[in-house]
Every structure is written in C-alpha cells, then in structure tokens.
Amino acid sequence: MGRRPARCYRQIKGKPYPKSRFCRGVPDPKIRIYDVGAKRAGVDFFPHCVHLVSWEKENISSEALEAARIAANKYMVKNAGKDAFHLRVRVHPFHVLRINKMLSCAGADRLQTGMRGAFGKPFGVCARVAIGQILLSIRCKDNHGAVAEEALRRAKFKFPGRQKIVASRNWGFTSYLRDDYLEWKREGRLVNDGVNAKLLDNHGPLDAREPGQIFEGPARMWRVPVHAQ
C-alpha cells in the first residue's frame, strides 16, 4: 500500500503525539538537513534576511519540508552561488501521524475487525505550525534579496495552505533592527556568536568583561534600544 496523501493529515486535531518510549516504531523524517549554504558564515557576513511565514494553522509533512528545502536551495545555488546565502528550515517534524491499515483483499472481513481497536500504527511525522510562524529563512547579501524572495516563492508550491514572503527589518537571523545593530556594533556592545550576536548590558560580573566591554548605561530600556549620544 502506498503513502496516504498529506491532505488526509492537514488539519490539526487533538494533542501533539511525539515519539517517546510509549510511541515506538516511528519512521524517520524525510528531512535530515536543516541548514544549507554558507551556514558557518559569521553574523556580519549576511545582513539581509527573508522569511517564509505560514498563514494557516495546519500540519506540514516532513516530505513537504524536504521538497521545499531542495527547491529553494537549488534556485539559490544556481542564481546566487553556493556560498552566497544561508538557508535554514525553522520548523521540525515532531508530531507522529497514525494509520489504521485496512485489508482490501478477498476474505478481509474474516481477518479484520473494522473500527474495533482503531488506534493506528505510526505512519509518518509532520510539523504543527501556527499562523505567523516562520517556516524557512534565508540570509544573504543585500544584492541577492530578490533572488532569495524568488527561491521562497518556489518553495511555497511544496506546502499546502497559504504562506507569505516577508523581508525582515532585522540584521540577518538576529533579533536586532539593522540600525540598532550597526549602532551597537559601533559602541562595542555586540559580541559575535556564530550566526547570532550577544548584546552586552551593564549587568554581570566585571572581571568577566574585556576592558572595552564595560558600560555605564543599559542597552535597552523597557525593550526600547538606548544608544550613547
């Protein structure tokens, strides 16, 4: 028997059902790689960021996530270069789908019991996504912003439901606005941390700081950035 179509499992019903010691025999997800491209590039290397945002509450199968990753990666490699971007899949398929297999051969009515004991066996995995949740993100240089948007537009066709493509106002994958990032970088408040950056405040032990990383005022006041005049 072949794979049941994903439209049978698109709607979110009931509680999450993750793999555990009680739920065994779960097949591996089709998607195994979540970061492609120049994933080791520093936070300063790619300032531009584009997101693919889900506009529906639904289940997305691991097969759809893998197909979208391949489609976006292939377009970016062809039109921008394999080291000119960093693509990240932001959702993980932890929810286990079940199937109650029914026999369709001759004499099946003697072997099966219909809806008695209808709790199915693990069949696949999917990601439960909400409205406004980010599915894919691409960080790149500013001159490749249009290419990244087209790559995510092509990845949209692999998903059910509606999605939106959003150009982020933040610097790369960080949570800091681009103007604030540049200003804090000039003040010496940011420390590179892989694809992200740590914001130094005026709290914490002084002996753990470098000489140029001691500040009198806070970096943010009630989540509003504060910059030195």
Side-chain angles (χ1 to χ4, degrees):
M1 192 176 78
R3 218 181 129 259
R4 187 177 281 179
R7 64 173 175 267
C8 304
Y9 298 98
R10 178 176 162 185
Q11 186 179 357
I12 292 181
K13 294 186 287 189
K15 299 176 182 177
Y17 187 56
K19 182 179 178 180
S20 67
R21 69 179 191 272
F22 309 109
C23 173
R24 300 182 298 275
V26 178
D28 289 334
K30 284 290 186 290
I31 181 168
R32 308 297 293 178
I33 300 170
Y34 293 87
D35 285 270
V36 291
K39 56 188 178 183
R40 296 189 184 278
V43 64
D44 293 325
F45 202 67
F46 295 132
H48 191 72
C49 184
V50 185
H51 302 302
L52 181 64
V53 182
S54 172
W55 223 241
E56 283 195 24
K57 180 183 177 185
E58 60 183 351
N59 289 326
I60 294 180
S61 67
S62 63
E63 289 84 358
L65 290 172
E66 174 70 359
R69 181 191 68 84
I70 291 173
N73 180 56
K74 186 174 290 186
Y75 188 84
M76 289 298 295
V77 168
K78 182 178 179 181
N79 294 277
K82 64 184 180 66
D83 293 325
F85 72 98
H86 175 198
L87 167 67
R88 174 172 286 178
V89 181
R90 300 282 295 273
V91 292
H92 288 243
F94 290 131
H95 182 65
V96 178
L97 304 173
R98 299 189 300 265
I99 185 171
N100 182 27
K101 287 185 179 177
M102 307 290 280
L103 300 175
S104 58
C105 57
D109 53 335
R110 295 172 178 270
L111 302 174
Q112 66 189 16
T113 55
M115 290 302 292
R116 183 187 300 170
F119 193 89
K121 296 286 188 291
F123 161 73
V125 287
C126 71
R128 292 159 64 101
V129 301
I131 296 173
Q133 186 171 353
I134 298 174
L135 303 178
L136 302 176
S137 295
I138 298 178
R139 64 184 183 118
C140 58
K141 296 285 181 70
D142 287 326
N143 58 334
H144 290 138
V147 179
E149 292 178 15
E150 174 62 19
L152 293 183
R153 190 192 70 84
R154 294 177 177 226
K156 277 171 58 175
F157 295 116
K158 309 300 180 183
F159 294 133
R162 293 169 296 169
Q163 293 83 32
K164 288 186 183 293
I165 298 171
V166 179
S168 176
R169 292 181 295 175
N170 295 344
W171 183 283
F173 287 168
T174 69
S175 60
Y176 315 127
L177 294 175
R178 295 185 68 156
D179 293 340
D180 294 331
Y181 182 91
L182 294 173
E183 191 65 26
W184 280 326
K185 196 77 176 176
R186 188 185 59 78
E187 296 171 10
R189 281 187 179 270
L190 289 175
V191 177
N192 288 3
D193 186 27
V195 301
N196 216 315
K198 293 179 181 176
L199 180 62
L200 298 178
D201 218 329
N202 58 343
H203 294 279
L206 294 177
D207 55 354
R209 298 285 183 95
E210 298 292 331
Q213 296 178 347
I214 300 174
F215 305 98
E216 182 179 354
R220 284 187 280 204
M221 188 88 66
W222 302 108
R223 296 190 179 182
V224 177
V226 176
H227 300 294
Q229 298 299 325

